Amino acid sequence: MLLALLLLENRISPGTPVLFLPADHIVNDEEVMTNSLMTMAEWIADEPEPVYLLGAVPQGPHDQLGYIVPWHDAMLMPTGVYEFVEGPDVRRARELINAGGLWNTFIFGGNVASLIRLFRPIFDTTIAALRAALRSDHIQRDLVRIYDRLTSVDFSQDLLAKQTERLKVMRLLRCGWWPLKSPALGTQLRGALASRARYG
């Protein structure tokens, strides 16, 4: 992600909205999702300092998903993030939902500058090394050397969860969002495919 942002900073304005969309989920109502993404891009343009997260309205307590707990009810406006909770048990998940918790879709966005700021100052050395590699005559070789020295980082837990003051969460209305990694999805997909096969 950091390399992608550093490539973009040389090609587009630092204030350009950028959205990150993981490829490991499904959405039934694409219009709802599209409207949410367009709204996020508009907020980024109008209020460029924060990084915006998209939290899905839960369809029930789930112990295999992460939750974003907002400071206030995220109905129509982006609101601050109180905490992240990863994989709570069902009892705790119910408590989080009652407190306004949203499923973490890992869909987020900001402008180029605000997203790069998430990595600073912890990764200033890495940022400088990557920028130097992108200016060198041996980009591929230099990038490989940098990557060989990098340590694994959990973007959500190691960066986002420690900088909640820089974040805002937006409410994604129910649109059939569901992560492919969830075992429960297998049952859901098999049922949908069986219905399609029966009714053509």
Side-chain angles (χ1 to χ4, degrees), residues 58-78:
Q59 299 177 46
H62 202 295
D63 60 359
Q64 296 174 6
L65 298 178
Y67 289 75
I68 304 171
V69 182
W71 274 104
H72 308 287
D73 192 4
M75 288 296 291
L76 300 176
M77 303 269 295

Side-chain angles (χ1 to χ4, degrees), residues 2-13:
L2 178 56
L3 178 60
L5 289 168
L6 295 177
L7 284 166
L8 285 174
E9 76 173 346
N10 292 321
R11 302 179 183 181
I12 60 179
S13 164

